[in-house]
Amino acid sequence: AQKITQTQPGMFVQEKEAVTLDCTYDTSDPSYGLFWYKQPSSGEMIFLIYQGSYDQQNATEGRYSLNFQKARKSANLVISASQLGDSAMYFCAMREGRSFGNEKLTFGTGTRLTIIP
Amino acid sequence: ETGVTQTPRHLVMGMTNKKSLKCEQHLGHNAMYWYKQSAKKPLELMFVYSLEERVENNSVPSRFSPECPNSSHLFLHLHTLQPEDSALYLCASSQREGLNNEQFFGPGTRLTVL
């Protein structure tokens, strides 16, 4: 079974609008962490935001926020006021507590976001 | 140099060649990783080194051979590769302790096997 599911292979969004990228996950481990990465065409994976399974509040980092719904096992990324430079692939990833010591990250298939001027 | 660097950025090799990919991290991390990124597939973890010891090998073919001589350097030795091994190979590093420690990635090596 897929541990990380990103159902949107591609999205087109008008500049300055907000965008939500979907991510659902599957784990039986009560302790886990969720990550979002951005991959521009240059190839480098850039860390955006982190949410821990025990965190009481949704994570925020500048224009990025994470809509964490634990009961639904979803961790959607919200980008406010999108910019042309936000055009990239976006990956959701999970680290489970049982992997402590080797930090294994499981990635989804990604969403290609294109911002339209 | 800062962050995670990888060389070469692009590599074209024949199936009978032997080459090596190099990764270096300048972040003081104690865990390093090799990932393979193929088109339309999730990022695949290949190898994990924690405190310079290999702790994970996700059933990678023996034609890929990792080496971690110290906590700052990681190599991936390649020999007798197949065309389906063509992909972007990403190196990453992190602190091993702590669930919230993000992995920092290098720019990748774009490998083409002819």
Side-chain angles (χ1 to χ4, degrees), chain A residues 21 34-40 45-51 59-66 77-79 85-86 88-92 113, chain B residues 102-104:
Chain A
L21 304 180
L34 298 158
F35 301 78
W36 276 93
Y37 283 85
K38 171 185 178 181
Q39 187 179 38
M45 299 279 279
I46 301 167
F47 167 73
L48 297 178
I49 196 166
Y50 167 83
Q51 180 85 44
T60 60
E61 287 286 349
R63 291 187 300 114
Y64 304 109
S65 60
L66 208 150
L77 176 70
V78 180
I79 306 174
D86 294 332
M89 283 289 290
Y90 288 80
F91 292 93
C92 180
L113 175 65
Chain B
E102 70 268 29
Q103 294 182 11
F104 291 79

PDB file of all heavy atoms in Angstrom, chain A residues 21 34-40 45-51 59-66 77-79 85-86 88-92 113, chain B residues 102-104:
ATOM      1  N   LEU A  21      -2.141  21.927  -2.109  1.00  0.00           N
ATOM      2  CA  LEU A  21      -1.627  20.676  -2.665  1.00  0.00           C
ATOM      3  C   LEU A  21      -1.957  19.551  -1.688  1.00  0.00           C
ATOM      4  O   LEU A  21      -1.618  19.637  -0.505  1.00  0.00           O
ATOM      5  CB  LEU A  21      -0.116  20.769  -2.879  1.00  0.00           C
ATOM      6  CG  LEU A  21       0.361  21.940  -3.754  1.00  0.00           C
ATOM      7  CD1 LEU A  21       1.877  21.923  -3.888  1.00  0.00           C
ATOM      8  CD2 LEU A  21      -0.292  21.904  -5.124  1.00  0.00           C
ATOM      9  N   LEU A  34       5.880  14.734   9.081  1.00  0.00           N
ATOM     10  CA  LEU A  34       5.495  14.964   7.685  1.00  0.00           C
ATOM     11  C   LEU A  34       6.261  16.169   7.143  1.00  0.00           C
ATOM     12  O   LEU A  34       6.398  17.189   7.825  1.00  0.00           O
ATOM     13  CB  LEU A  34       3.987  15.213   7.588  1.00  0.00           C
ATOM     14  CG  LEU A  34       3.144  14.023   8.045  1.00  0.00           C
ATOM     15  CD1 LEU A  34       1.755  14.460   8.433  1.00  0.00           C
ATOM     16  CD2 LEU A  34       3.086  12.966   6.950  1.00  0.00           C
ATOM     17  N   PHE A  35       6.763  16.040   5.944  1.00  0.00           N
ATOM     18  CA  PHE A  35       7.604  17.062   5.326  1.00  0.00           C
ATOM     19  C   PHE A  35       7.047  17.405   3.942  1.00  0.00           C
ATOM     20  O   PHE A  35       6.504  16.561   3.243  1.00  0.00           O
ATOM     21  CB  PHE A  35       9.035  16.540   5.126  1.00  0.00           C
ATOM     22  CG  PHE A  35       9.735  16.111   6.392  1.00  0.00           C
ATOM     23  CD1 PHE A  35       9.459  14.893   6.986  1.00  0.00           C
ATOM     24  CD2 PHE A  35      10.677  16.936   6.988  1.00  0.00           C
ATOM     25  CE1 PHE A  35      10.113  14.485   8.144  1.00  0.00           C
ATOM     26  CE2 PHE A  35      11.348  16.543   8.138  1.00  0.00           C
ATOM     27  CZ  PHE A  35      11.067  15.318   8.716  1.00  0.00           C
ATOM     28  N   TRP A  36       7.262  18.649   3.557  1.00  0.00           N
ATOM     29  CA  TRP A  36       7.014  19.067   2.177  1.00  0.00           C
ATOM     30  C   TRP A  36       8.311  19.615   1.599  1.00  0.00           C
ATOM     31  O   TRP A  36       9.018  20.393   2.248  1.00  0.00           O
ATOM     32  CB  TRP A  36       5.933  20.143   2.096  1.00  0.00           C
ATOM     33  CG  TRP A  36       4.540  19.592   2.082  1.00  0.00           C
ATOM     34  CD1 TRP A  36       3.711  19.393   3.145  1.00  0.00           C
ATOM     35  CD2 TRP A  36       3.803  19.178   0.931  1.00  0.00           C
ATOM     36  NE1 TRP A  36       2.514  18.879   2.731  1.00  0.00           N
ATOM     37  CE2 TRP A  36       2.532  18.742   1.376  1.00  0.00           C
ATOM     38  CE3 TRP A  36       4.074  19.149  -0.444  1.00  0.00           C
ATOM     39  CZ2 TRP A  36       1.545  18.275   0.503  1.00  0.00           C
ATOM     40  CZ3 TRP A  36       3.103  18.685  -1.308  1.00  0.00           C
ATOM     41  CH2 TRP A  36       1.859  18.252  -0.823  1.00  0.00           C
ATOM     42  N   TYR A  37       8.587  19.177   0.361  1.00  0.00           N
ATOM     43  CA  TYR A  37       9.759  19.643  -0.363  1.00  0.00           C
ATOM     44  C   TYR A  37       9.323  20.216  -1.701  1.00  0.00           C
ATOM     45  O   TYR A  37       8.358  19.764  -2.305  1.00  0.00           O
ATOM     46  CB  TYR A  37      10.737  18.491  -0.624  1.00  0.00           C
ATOM     47  CG  TYR A  37      11.575  18.070   0.561  1.00  0.00           C
ATOM     48  CD1 TYR A  37      11.086  17.158   1.501  1.00  0.00           C
ATOM     49  CD2 TYR A  37      12.848  18.588   0.745  1.00  0.00           C
ATOM     50  CE1 TYR A  37      11.857  16.776   2.587  1.00  0.00           C
ATOM     51  CE2 TYR A  37      13.633  18.204   1.828  1.00  0.00           C
ATOM     52  CZ  TYR A  37      13.129  17.292   2.742  1.00  0.00           C
ATOM     53  OH  TYR A  37      13.901  16.910   3.811  1.00  0.00           O
ATOM     54  N   LYS A  38      10.104  21.177  -2.171  1.00  0.00           N
ATOM     55  CA  LYS A  38       9.901  21.785  -3.488  1.00  0.00           C
ATOM     56  C   LYS A  38      11.092  21.418  -4.364  1.00  0.00           C
ATOM     57  O   LYS A  38      12.238  21.486  -3.916  1.00  0.00           O
ATOM     58  CB  LYS A  38       9.818  23.304  -3.332  1.00  0.00           C
ATOM     59  CG  LYS A  38       9.812  24.101  -4.635  1.00  0.00           C
ATOM     60  CD  LYS A  38       9.841  25.597  -4.318  1.00  0.00           C
ATOM     61  CE  LYS A  38       9.882  26.442  -5.583  1.00  0.00           C
ATOM     62  NZ  LYS A  38       9.940  27.897  -5.270  1.00  0.00           N
ATOM     63  N   GLN A  39      10.824  21.015  -5.597  1.00  0.00           N
ATOM     64  CA  GLN A  39      11.900  20.686  -6.527  1.00  0.00           C
ATOM     65  C   GLN A  39      11.749  21.507  -7.805  1.00  0.00           C
ATOM     66  O   GLN A  39      10.965  21.176  -8.682  1.00  0.00           O
ATOM     67  CB  GLN A  39      11.917  19.195  -6.860  1.00  0.00           C
ATOM     68  CG  GLN A  39      13.132  18.781  -7.698  1.00  0.00           C
ATOM     69  CD  GLN A  39      13.162  17.303  -7.993  1.00  0.00           C
ATOM     70  OE1 GLN A  39      12.133  16.685  -8.245  1.00  0.00           O
ATOM     71  NE2 GLN A  39      14.359  16.711  -7.968  1.00  0.00           N
ATOM     72  N   PRO A  40      12.513  22.592  -7.944  1.00  0.00           N
ATOM     73  CA  PRO A  40      12.488  23.361  -9.189  1.00  0.00           C
ATOM     74  C   PRO A  40      13.113  22.543 -10.317  1.00  0.00           C
ATOM     75  O   PRO A  40      13.655  21.458 -10.085  1.00  0.00           O
ATOM     76  CB  PRO A  40      13.342  24.597  -8.869  1.00  0.00           C
ATOM     77  CG  PRO A  40      13.594  24.556  -7.405  1.00  0.00           C
ATOM     78  CD  PRO A  40      13.410  23.138  -6.957  1.00  0.00           C
ATOM     79  N   MET A  45      16.177  19.447  -4.219  1.00  0.00           N
ATOM     80  CA  MET A  45      15.002  19.353  -3.350  1.00  0.00           C
ATOM     81  C   MET A  45      15.170  20.373  -2.225  1.00  0.00           C
ATOM     82  O   MET A  45      16.156  20.333  -1.487  1.00  0.00           O
ATOM     83  CB  MET A  45      14.880  17.949  -2.758  1.00  0.00           C
ATOM     84  CG  MET A  45      14.713  16.871  -3.793  1.00  0.00           C
ATOM     85  SD  MET A  45      13.035  16.745  -4.351  1.00  0.00           S
ATOM     86  CE  MET A  45      12.320  15.785  -3.026  1.00  0.00           C
ATOM     87  N   ILE A  46      14.186  21.235  -2.061  1.00  0.00           N
ATOM     88  CA  ILE A  46      14.261  22.304  -1.069  1.00  0.00           C
ATOM     89  C   ILE A  46      13.210  22.042   0.006  1.00  0.00           C
ATOM     90  O   ILE A  46      12.013  21.950  -0.292  1.00  0.00           O
ATOM     91  CB  ILE A  46      14.013  23.671  -1.738  1.00  0.00           C
ATOM     92  CG1 ILE A  46      15.047  23.907  -2.838  1.00  0.00           C
ATOM     93  CG2 ILE A  46      14.052  24.795  -0.708  1.00  0.00           C
ATOM     94  CD1 ILE A  46      14.698  25.056  -3.758  1.00  0.00           C
ATOM     95  N   PHE A  47      13.645  21.944   1.249  1.00  0.00           N
ATOM     96  CA  PHE A  47      12.724  21.727   2.358  1.00  0.00           C
ATOM     97  C   PHE A  47      11.852  22.962   2.576  1.00  0.00           C
ATOM     98  O   PHE A  47      12.336  24.097   2.583  1.00  0.00           O
ATOM     99  CB  PHE A  47      13.522  21.425   3.628  1.00  0.00           C
ATOM    100  CG  PHE A  47      12.708  21.501   4.886  1.00  0.00           C
ATOM    101  CD1 PHE A  47      11.786  20.518   5.189  1.00  0.00           C
ATOM    102  CD2 PHE A  47      12.856  22.571   5.758  1.00  0.00           C
ATOM    103  CE1 PHE A  47      11.029  20.588   6.341  1.00  0.00           C
ATOM    104  CE2 PHE A  47      12.107  22.640   6.922  1.00  0.00           C
ATOM    105  CZ  PHE A  47      11.187  21.652   7.213  1.00  0.00           C
ATOM    106  N   LEU A  48      10.552  22.750   2.767  1.00  0.00           N
ATOM    107  CA  LEU A  48       9.620  23.855   2.958  1.00  0.00           C
ATOM    108  C   LEU A  48       9.066  23.923   4.378  1.00  0.00           C
ATOM    109  O   LEU A  48       9.073  24.982   5.007  1.00  0.00           O
ATOM    110  CB  LEU A  48       8.444  23.730   1.981  1.00  0.00           C
ATOM    111  CG  LEU A  48       8.753  23.816   0.490  1.00  0.00           C
ATOM    112  CD1 LEU A  48       7.474  23.629  -0.314  1.00  0.00           C
ATOM    113  CD2 LEU A  48       9.416  25.144   0.153  1.00  0.00           C
ATOM    114  N   ILE A  49       8.541  22.783   4.869  1.00  0.00           N
ATOM    115  CA  ILE A  49       7.782  22.844   6.101  1.00  0.00           C
ATOM    116  C   ILE A  49       7.683  21.450   6.712  1.00  0.00           C
ATOM    117  O   ILE A  49       7.735  20.442   5.991  1.00  0.00           O
ATOM    118  CB  ILE A  49       6.383  23.440   5.836  1.00  0.00           C
ATOM    119  CG1 ILE A  49       5.702  23.894   7.126  1.00  0.00           C
ATOM    120  CG2 ILE A  49       5.505  22.478   5.050  1.00  0.00           C
ATOM    121  CD1 ILE A  49       4.489  24.784   6.871  1.00  0.00           C
ATOM    122  N   TYR A  50       7.554  21.430   8.050  1.00  0.00           N
ATOM    123  CA  TYR A  50       7.471  20.167   8.794  1.00  0.00           C
ATOM    124  C   TYR A  50       6.295  20.197   9.757  1.00  0.00           C
ATOM    125  O   TYR A  50       6.001  21.236  10.369  1.00  0.00           O
ATOM    126  CB  TYR A  50       8.765  19.951   9.586  1.00  0.00           C
ATOM    127  CG  TYR A  50       8.668  18.854  10.615  1.00  0.00           C
ATOM    128  CD1 TYR A  50       8.850  17.525  10.251  1.00  0.00           C
ATOM    129  CD2 TYR A  50       8.367  19.148  11.946  1.00  0.00           C
ATOM    130  CE1 TYR A  50       8.745  16.512  11.182  1.00  0.00           C
ATOM    131  CE2 TYR A  50       8.257  18.131  12.892  1.00  0.00           C
ATOM    132  CZ  TYR A  50       8.451  16.824  12.506  1.00  0.00           C
ATOM    133  OH  TYR A  50       8.334  15.815  13.429  1.00  0.00           O
ATOM    134  N   GLN A  51       5.650  19.032   9.910  1.00  0.00           N
ATOM    135  CA  GLN A  51       4.574  18.872  10.892  1.00  0.00           C
ATOM    136  C   GLN A  51       4.794  17.571  11.635  1.00  0.00           C
ATOM    137  O   GLN A  51       4.912  16.512  11.017  1.00  0.00           O
ATOM    138  CB  GLN A  51       3.211  18.823  10.178  1.00  0.00           C
ATOM    139  CG  GLN A  51       2.026  18.654  11.103  1.00  0.00           C
ATOM    140  CD  GLN A  51       1.552  19.960  11.669  1.00  0.00           C
ATOM    141  OE1 GLN A  51       1.433  20.968  10.977  1.00  0.00           O
ATOM    142  NE2 GLN A  51       1.232  19.978  12.957  1.00  0.00           N
ATOM    143  N   ALA A  59       1.561  23.737  11.208  1.00  0.00           N
ATOM    144  CA  ALA A  59       2.826  24.415  10.973  1.00  0.00           C
ATOM    145  C   ALA A  59       2.662  25.544   9.957  1.00  0.00           C
ATOM    146  O   ALA A  59       1.839  25.453   9.026  1.00  0.00           O
ATOM    147  CB  ALA A  59       3.852  23.402  10.448  1.00  0.00           C
ATOM    148  N   THR A  60       3.429  26.601  10.151  1.00  0.00           N
ATOM    149  CA  THR A  60       3.451  27.702   9.184  1.00  0.00           C
ATOM    150  C   THR A  60       4.889  28.153   9.002  1.00  0.00           C
ATOM    151  O   THR A  60       5.679  28.168   9.952  1.00  0.00           O
ATOM    152  CB  THR A  60       2.603  28.905   9.641  1.00  0.00           C
ATOM    153  OG1 THR A  60       3.134  29.374  10.885  1.00  0.00           O
ATOM    154  CG2 THR A  60       1.144  28.535   9.813  1.00  0.00           C
ATOM    155  N   GLU A  61       5.228  28.517   7.751  1.00  0.00           N
ATOM    156  CA  GLU A  61       6.540  29.057   7.426  1.00  0.00           C
ATOM    157  C   GLU A  61       6.351  30.079   6.315  1.00  0.00           C
ATOM    158  O   GLU A  61       6.256  29.742   5.134  1.00  0.00           O
ATOM    159  CB  GLU A  61       7.493  27.943   6.928  1.00  0.00           C
ATOM    160  CG  GLU A  61       7.999  26.993   7.971  1.00  0.00           C
ATOM    161  CD  GLU A  61       9.062  27.591   8.877  1.00  0.00           C
ATOM    162  OE1 GLU A  61       9.570  28.685   8.575  1.00  0.00           O
ATOM    163  OE2 GLU A  61       9.380  26.954   9.898  1.00  0.00           O
ATOM    164  N   GLY A  62       6.263  31.338   6.688  1.00  0.00           N
ATOM    165  CA  GLY A  62       6.069  32.373   5.685  1.00  0.00           C
ATOM    166  C   GLY A  62       4.776  32.172   4.915  1.00  0.00           C
ATOM    167  O   GLY A  62       3.695  32.112   5.498  1.00  0.00           O
ATOM    168  N   ARG A  63       4.874  32.030   3.590  1.00  0.00           N
ATOM    169  CA  ARG A  63       3.663  31.841   2.770  1.00  0.00           C
ATOM    170  C   ARG A  63       3.174  30.390   2.763  1.00  0.00           C
ATOM    171  O   ARG A  63       2.135  30.095   2.153  1.00  0.00           O
ATOM    172  CB  ARG A  63       3.955  32.287   1.330  1.00  0.00           C
ATOM    173  CG  ARG A  63       4.167  33.795   1.158  1.00  0.00           C
ATOM    174  CD  ARG A  63       4.271  34.182  -0.317  1.00  0.00           C
ATOM    175  NE  ARG A  63       5.382  33.520  -0.990  1.00  0.00           N
ATOM    176  CZ  ARG A  63       5.235  32.629  -1.961  1.00  0.00           C
ATOM    177  NH1 ARG A  63       4.025  32.260  -2.366  1.00  0.00           N
ATOM    178  NH2 ARG A  63       6.299  32.087  -2.533  1.00  0.00           N
ATOM    179  N   TYR A  64       3.922  29.520   3.409  1.00  0.00           N
ATOM    180  CA  TYR A  64       3.542  28.099   3.438  1.00  0.00           C
ATOM    181  C   TYR A  64       2.858  27.769   4.767  1.00  0.00           C
ATOM    182  O   TYR A  64       3.315  28.178   5.829  1.00  0.00           O
ATOM    183  CB  TYR A  64       4.773  27.199   3.288  1.00  0.00           C
ATOM    184  CG  TYR A  64       5.586  27.464   2.046  1.00  0.00           C
ATOM    185  CD1 TYR A  64       6.835  28.070   2.121  1.00  0.00           C
ATOM    186  CD2 TYR A  64       5.104  27.112   0.795  1.00  0.00           C
ATOM    187  CE1 TYR A  64       7.590  28.308   0.994  1.00  0.00           C
ATOM    188  CE2 TYR A  64       5.851  27.354  -0.357  1.00  0.00           C
ATOM    189  CZ  TYR A  64       7.089  27.957  -0.242  1.00  0.00           C
ATOM    190  OH  TYR A  64       7.829  28.199  -1.372  1.00  0.00           O
ATOM    191  N   SER A  65       1.790  27.019   4.678  1.00  0.00           N
ATOM    192  CA  SER A  65       1.167  26.484   5.874  1.00  0.00           C
ATOM    193  C   SER A  65       0.720  25.056   5.589  1.00  0.00           C
ATOM    194  O   SER A  65       0.549  24.666   4.428  1.00  0.00           O
ATOM    195  CB  SER A  65      -0.017  27.344   6.324  1.00  0.00           C
ATOM    196  OG  SER A  65      -1.006  27.392   5.317  1.00  0.00           O
ATOM    197  N   LEU A  66       0.576  24.300   6.649  1.00  0.00           N
ATOM    198  CA  LEU A  66       0.215  22.905   6.500  1.00  0.00           C
ATOM    199  C   LEU A  66      -1.139  22.703   7.157  1.00  0.00           C
ATOM    200  O   LEU A  66      -1.304  23.008   8.343  1.00  0.00           O
ATOM    201  CB  LEU A  66       1.290  22.008   7.139  1.00  0.00           C
ATOM    202  CG  LEU A  66       1.429  20.622   6.542  1.00  0.00           C
ATOM    203  CD1 LEU A  66       2.867  20.131   6.660  1.00  0.00           C
ATOM    204  CD2 LEU A  66       0.503  19.662   7.253  1.00  0.00           C
ATOM    205  N   LEU A  77      -0.560  21.001   1.802  1.00  0.00           N
ATOM    206  CA  LEU A  77       0.263  22.210   1.794  1.00  0.00           C
ATOM    207  C   LEU A  77      -0.539  23.347   1.183  1.00  0.00           C
ATOM    208  O   LEU A  77      -1.123  23.190   0.108  1.00  0.00           O
ATOM    209  CB  LEU A  77       1.538  21.988   0.976  1.00  0.00           C
ATOM    210  CG  LEU A  77       2.451  23.208   0.817  1.00  0.00           C
ATOM    211  CD1 LEU A  77       3.123  23.549   2.150  1.00  0.00           C
ATOM    212  CD2 LEU A  77       3.509  22.961  -0.252  1.00  0.00           C
ATOM    213  N   VAL A  78      -0.551  24.477   1.874  1.00  0.00           N
ATOM    214  CA  VAL A  78      -1.230  25.661   1.366  1.00  0.00           C
ATOM    215  C   VAL A  78      -0.182  26.734   1.095  1.00  0.00           C
ATOM    216  O   VAL A  78       0.620  27.058   1.973  1.00  0.00           O
ATOM    217  CB  VAL A  78      -2.277  26.190   2.363  1.00  0.00           C
ATOM    218  CG1 VAL A  78      -2.954  27.435   1.796  1.00  0.00           C
ATOM    219  CG2 VAL A  78      -3.314  25.118   2.677  1.00  0.00           C
ATOM    220  N   ILE A  79      -0.194  27.237  -0.128  1.00  0.00           N
ATOM    221  CA  ILE A  79       0.698  28.335  -0.496  1.00  0.00           C
ATOM    222  C   ILE A  79      -0.173  29.561  -0.720  1.00  0.00           C
ATOM    223  O   ILE A  79      -1.066  29.551  -1.583  1.00  0.00           O
ATOM    224  CB  ILE A  79       1.502  28.033  -1.774  1.00  0.00           C
ATOM    225  CG1 ILE A  79       2.249  26.699  -1.654  1.00  0.00           C
ATOM    226  CG2 ILE A  79       2.498  29.162  -2.062  1.00  0.00           C
ATOM    227  CD1 ILE A  79       2.945  26.270  -2.945  1.00  0.00           C
ATOM    228  N   GLY A  85       7.698  32.156  -9.175  1.00  0.00           N
ATOM    229  CA  GLY A  85       8.791  31.303  -8.706  1.00  0.00           C
ATOM    230  C   GLY A  85       8.336  30.079  -7.946  1.00  0.00           C
ATOM    231  O   GLY A  85       9.160  29.214  -7.614  1.00  0.00           O
ATOM    232  N   ASP A  86       7.043  29.977  -7.691  1.00  0.00           N
ATOM    233  CA  ASP A  86       6.516  28.785  -7.011  1.00  0.00           C
ATOM    234  C   ASP A  86       6.318  27.620  -7.980  1.00  0.00           C
ATOM    235  O   ASP A  86       6.045  26.502  -7.548  1.00  0.00           O
ATOM    236  CB  ASP A  86       5.176  29.112  -6.340  1.00  0.00           C
ATOM    237  CG  ASP A  86       5.312  30.104  -5.195  1.00  0.00           C
ATOM    238  OD1 ASP A  86       6.397  30.143  -4.569  1.00  0.00           O
ATOM    239  OD2 ASP A  86       4.344  30.835  -4.930  1.00  0.00           O
ATOM    240  N   ALA A  88       7.005  24.543  -9.763  1.00  0.00           N
ATOM    241  CA  ALA A  88       7.961  23.476  -9.426  1.00  0.00           C
ATOM    242  C   ALA A  88       7.187  22.201  -9.153  1.00  0.00           C
ATOM    243  O   ALA A  88       5.954  22.185  -9.161  1.00  0.00           O
ATOM    244  CB  ALA A  88       8.781  23.855  -8.189  1.00  0.00           C
ATOM    245  N   MET A  89       7.945  21.124  -8.890  1.00  0.00           N
ATOM    246  CA  MET A  89       7.349  19.901  -8.361  1.00  0.00           C
ATOM    247  C   MET A  89       7.331  20.004  -6.849  1.00  0.00           C
ATOM    248  O   MET A  89       8.288  20.508  -6.238  1.00  0.00           O
ATOM    249  CB  MET A  89       8.171  18.679  -8.768  1.00  0.00           C
ATOM    250  CG  MET A  89       7.966  18.231 -10.194  1.00  0.00           C
ATOM    251  SD  MET A  89       6.359  17.487 -10.484  1.00  0.00           S
ATOM    252  CE  MET A  89       6.517  15.942  -9.582  1.00  0.00           C
ATOM    253  N   TYR A  90       6.269  19.506  -6.240  1.00  0.00           N
ATOM    254  CA  TYR A  90       6.148  19.525  -4.790  1.00  0.00           C
ATOM    255  C   TYR A  90       5.932  18.095  -4.301  1.00  0.00           C
ATOM    256  O   TYR A  90       5.060  17.383  -4.798  1.00  0.00           O
ATOM    257  CB  TYR A  90       4.986  20.413  -4.352  1.00  0.00           C
ATOM    258  CG  TYR A  90       5.284  21.880  -4.539  1.00  0.00           C
ATOM    259  CD1 TYR A  90       5.156  22.476  -5.793  1.00  0.00           C
ATOM    260  CD2 TYR A  90       5.734  22.658  -3.470  1.00  0.00           C
ATOM    261  CE1 TYR A  90       5.463  23.817  -5.975  1.00  0.00           C
ATOM    262  CE2 TYR A  90       6.041  23.999  -3.640  1.00  0.00           C
ATOM    263  CZ  TYR A  90       5.898  24.575  -4.898  1.00  0.00           C
ATOM    264  OH  TYR A  90       6.210  25.896  -5.080  1.00  0.00           O
ATOM    265  N   PHE A  91       6.742  17.715  -3.308  1.00  0.00           N
ATOM    266  CA  PHE A  91       6.686  16.364  -2.774  1.00  0.00           C
ATOM    267  C   PHE A  91       6.329  16.387  -1.288  1.00  0.00           C
ATOM    268  O   PHE A  91       6.878  17.171  -0.516  1.00  0.00           O
ATOM    269  CB  PHE A  91       8.036  15.658  -2.941  1.00  0.00           C
ATOM    270  CG  PHE A  91       8.400  15.371  -4.367  1.00  0.00           C
ATOM    271  CD1 PHE A  91       9.172  16.275  -5.089  1.00  0.00           C
ATOM    272  CD2 PHE A  91       7.973  14.213  -4.984  1.00  0.00           C
ATOM    273  CE1 PHE A  91       9.518  16.017  -6.416  1.00  0.00           C
ATOM    274  CE2 PHE A  91       8.310  13.937  -6.303  1.00  0.00           C
ATOM    275  CZ  PHE A  91       9.081  14.851  -7.019  1.00  0.00           C
ATOM    276  N   CYS A  92       5.434  15.490  -0.937  1.00  0.00           N
ATOM    277  CA  CYS A  92       5.100  15.229   0.451  1.00  0.00           C
ATOM    278  C   CYS A  92       5.893  14.003   0.894  1.00  0.00           C
ATOM    279  O   CYS A  92       6.075  13.058   0.095  1.00  0.00           O
ATOM    280  CB  CYS A  92       3.593  14.981   0.559  1.00  0.00           C
ATOM    281  SG  CYS A  92       2.980  14.647   2.217  1.00  0.00           S
ATOM    282  N   LEU A 113       3.267  21.972 -10.008  1.00  0.00           N
ATOM    283  CA  LEU A 113       2.516  23.216  -9.896  1.00  0.00           C
ATOM    284  C   LEU A 113       3.037  24.221 -10.912  1.00  0.00           C
ATOM    285  O   LEU A 113       4.252  24.448 -10.991  1.00  0.00           O
ATOM    286  CB  LEU A 113       2.643  23.791  -8.482  1.00  0.00           C
ATOM    287  CG  LEU A 113       2.002  25.156  -8.236  1.00  0.00           C
ATOM    288  CD1 LEU A 113       0.482  25.067  -8.394  1.00  0.00           C
ATOM    289  CD2 LEU A 113       2.361  25.674  -6.853  1.00  0.00           C
TER     290      LEU A 113
ATOM    291  N   GLU B 102      15.006  17.704   9.077  1.00  0.00           N
ATOM    292  CA  GLU B 102      14.816  17.567   7.637  1.00  0.00           C
ATOM    293  C   GLU B 102      16.111  17.139   6.969  1.00  0.00           C
ATOM    294  O   GLU B 102      17.200  17.335   7.499  1.00  0.00           O
ATOM    295  CB  GLU B 102      14.325  18.884   7.025  1.00  0.00           C
ATOM    296  CG  GLU B 102      15.362  20.007   7.005  1.00  0.00           C
ATOM    297  CD  GLU B 102      15.272  20.878   8.225  1.00  0.00           C
ATOM    298  OE1 GLU B 102      14.857  20.389   9.304  1.00  0.00           O
ATOM    299  OE2 GLU B 102      15.636  22.067   8.098  1.00  0.00           O
ATOM    300  N   GLN B 103      15.965  16.528   5.811  1.00  0.00           N
ATOM    301  CA  GLN B 103      17.117  16.163   5.009  1.00  0.00           C
ATOM    302  C   GLN B 103      17.413  17.303   4.045  1.00  0.00           C
ATOM    303  O   GLN B 103      16.513  17.890   3.449  1.00  0.00           O
ATOM    304  CB  GLN B 103      16.843  14.863   4.252  1.00  0.00           C
ATOM    305  CG  GLN B 103      16.694  13.666   5.179  1.00  0.00           C
ATOM    306  CD  GLN B 103      16.474  12.367   4.443  1.00  0.00           C
ATOM    307  OE1 GLN B 103      16.618  12.269   3.231  1.00  0.00           O
ATOM    308  NE2 GLN B 103      16.128  11.337   5.196  1.00  0.00           N
ATOM    309  N   PHE B 104      18.685  17.596   3.919  1.00  0.00           N
ATOM    310  CA  PHE B 104      19.140  18.620   2.995  1.00  0.00           C
ATOM    311  C   PHE B 104      19.701  17.915   1.766  1.00  0.00           C
ATOM    312  O   PHE B 104      20.557  17.040   1.876  1.00  0.00           O
ATOM    313  CB  PHE B 104      20.219  19.489   3.641  1.00  0.00           C
ATOM    314  CG  PHE B 104      19.697  20.358   4.740  1.00  0.00           C
ATOM    315  CD1 PHE B 104      19.460  19.848   6.008  1.00  0.00           C
ATOM    316  CD2 PHE B 104      19.433  21.705   4.505  1.00  0.00           C
ATOM    317  CE1 PHE B 104      18.959  20.649   7.025  1.00  0.00           C
ATOM    318  CE2 PHE B 104      18.947  22.517   5.517  1.00  0.00           C
ATOM    319  CZ  PHE B 104      18.709  21.995   6.777  1.00  0.00           C
TER     320      PHE B 104
END
